[in-house]
Amino acid sequence: MSSNTRSLKYLLGWLIAGTRGGVTRVKIIEALREKPQNANQFATLLGMDYKTMRHHLDVLEKNRLVTSIGDRYGVTYFLSQVMEENYSLFEEISNKIRKK
């Protein structure tokens, strides 16, 4: 396992399994794999508050797991290239928290 992969595994582990918002972040990443969306679409899809959704998207973007295009309310989110390339690692970690 390369040091980049190991670092990503630790990051995903912390963001998904190590924090209270992990389950929500799993849902966001899985939904983004299906299609790019904006924060309002996510809030509706997941039945969550818009500001809460923005918080989770900001955390994911700051950690380079998602990327965005556009501005203000039109910002559309996508999985980052790193996340796309390591999606199996994400699935491994997200499956562990589902079993709990």
Side-chain angles (χ1 to χ4, degrees), residues 20-68:
R20 225 175 45 187
V23 173
T24 299
R25 293 183 190 127
V26 166
K27 291 176 184 176
I28 291 169
I29 291 168
E30 290 173 340
L32 275 179
R33 186 135 197 243
E34 297 299 315
K35 70 175 186 176
Q37 299 184 58
N38 67 34
N40 193 46
Q41 290 168 317
F42 275 123
T44 301
L45 177 73
L46 301 178
M48 296 184 71
D49 178 70
Y50 174 80
K51 285 185 178 183
T52 302
M53 187 54 57
R54 284 298 313 259
H55 165 74
H56 288 294
L57 288 164
D58 288 346
V59 168
L60 291 169
E61 189 169 29
K62 188 174 86 177
N63 287 285
R64 297 185 178 103
L65 300 178
V66 303
T67 187
S68 63

Side-chain angles (χ1 to χ4, degrees), residues 80-93:
S80 69
Q81 186 173 347
V82 169
M83 193 67 216
E84 290 275 4
E85 291 169 354
N86 294 280
Y87 197 81
S88 60
L89 185 60
F90 161 76
E91 288 176 316
E92 180 186 314
I93 293 167

